[in-house]
């Protein structure tokens, strides 16, 4: 995976190492952190671009994020695309979860799924919620899922 910062600079370390260094730096600076992980996707013709973000929130002092983008060429139903978004977020959360436990940092997994049944993305809500909660993570959907619906959506 090719991770980068919002300014476009590449993260050359393995993501787990980069996240741990970031946590240590932020803790040394006296910041209380909360981490939110989310993925969003956009369809353009036969291309689907997935953007996954790791958002570091400094309590009362803003935040920043690490970003990974990936494009696949395929046709996909909305339900599968939503579950693929969730899977990408859960994979990263799982890879990093021991760090969050070690440093006592709360983790939320955000999904770009609308709880309102009139929206197409809602077809995957129960499945996504069960997947995330079953993995032991805090689940957030729209309108509280800013990591996926705002941060990942922008990139």
């Amino acid at each position: 995976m090719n991770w980068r910062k919002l300014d476009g600079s590449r993260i050359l370390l393995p993501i787990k190492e980069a996240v741990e260094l970031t946590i240590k730096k932020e803790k040394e600076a006296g910041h209380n952190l909360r981490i939110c992980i989310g993925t969003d996707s956009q369809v353009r013709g036969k291309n689907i671009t997935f953007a996954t973000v790791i958002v570091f929130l400094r309590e009362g002092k803003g935040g920043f994020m690490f970003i990974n983008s990936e494009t696949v060429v395929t046709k996909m139903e909305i339900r599968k695309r939503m579950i693929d978004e969730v899977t990408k977020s859960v994979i990263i959360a799982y890879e990093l979860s021991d760090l969050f436990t070690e440093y006592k940092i709360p983790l939320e997994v955000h999904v770009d799924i609308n709880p309102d049944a009139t929206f197409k993305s809602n077809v995957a809500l129960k499945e996504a919620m069960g997947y995330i909660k079953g993995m032991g993570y805090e689940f957030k959907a729209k309108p509280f899922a800013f990591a996926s619906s705002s941060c990942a959506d922008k990139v």
Side-chain angles (χ1 to χ4, degrees):
M1 289 188 159
N2 295 315
W3 289 89
R4 62 183 170 87
K5 297 178 182 176
L6 188 57
D7 67 5
S9 60
R10 291 184 57 218
I11 298 170
L12 301 175
L13 296 170
I15 192 60
K16 189 169 186 175
E17 214 175 302
V19 168
E20 184 168 26
L21 286 172
T22 301
I23 289 170
K24 286 179 179 177
K25 181 180 148 203
E26 292 296 321
K27 290 277 189 183
E28 287 170 7
H31 297 128
N32 288 324
L33 291 176
R34 188 172 95 210
I35 305 285
C36 304
I37 296 175
T39 302
D40 191 26
S41 61
Q42 292 192 349
V43 179
R44 288 195 179 94
K46 292 183 179 182
N47 293 336
I48 302 173
T49 302
F50 292 92
T52 300
V53 296
I54 303 167
V55 180
F56 298 81
L57 294 174
R58 299 177 184 123
E59 195 173 281
K61 298 190 177 154
F64 57 96
M65 64 182 162
F66 293 170
I67 305 154
N68 178 61
S69 297
E70 166 189 10
T71 300
V72 295
V73 180
T74 188
K75 184 133 175 89
M76 198 179 291
E77 292 178 16
I78 183 94
R79 180 185 187 126
K80 172 143 177 38
R81 188 164 53 92
M82 295 295 105
I83 296 305
D84 281 3
E85 288 179 11
V86 171
T87 299
K88 290 177 184 307
S89 295
V90 168
I91 286 170
I92 294 302
Y94 185 76
E95 183 179 338
L96 302 174
S97 63
D98 60 327
L99 290 177
F100 305 141
T101 301
E102 179 183 342
Y103 291 97
K104 297 177 175 63
I105 298 173
L107 168 66
E108 297 174 359
V109 177
H110 291 193
V111 298
D112 191 31
I113 297 176
N114 201 310
D116 183 339
T118 62
F119 289 85
K120 291 179 184 178
S121 65
N122 184 266
V123 299
L125 180 66
K126 288 180 184 174
E127 193 173 347
M129 186 185 319
Y131 185 14
I132 292 167
K133 288 186 169 191
M135 291 295 291
Y137 304 127
E138 176 91 18
F139 169 85
K140 298 282 183 180
K142 284 182 175 181
F144 307 105
F146 62 86
S148 58
S149 57
S150 294
C151 298
D153 181 64
K154 300 288 185 260
V155 297

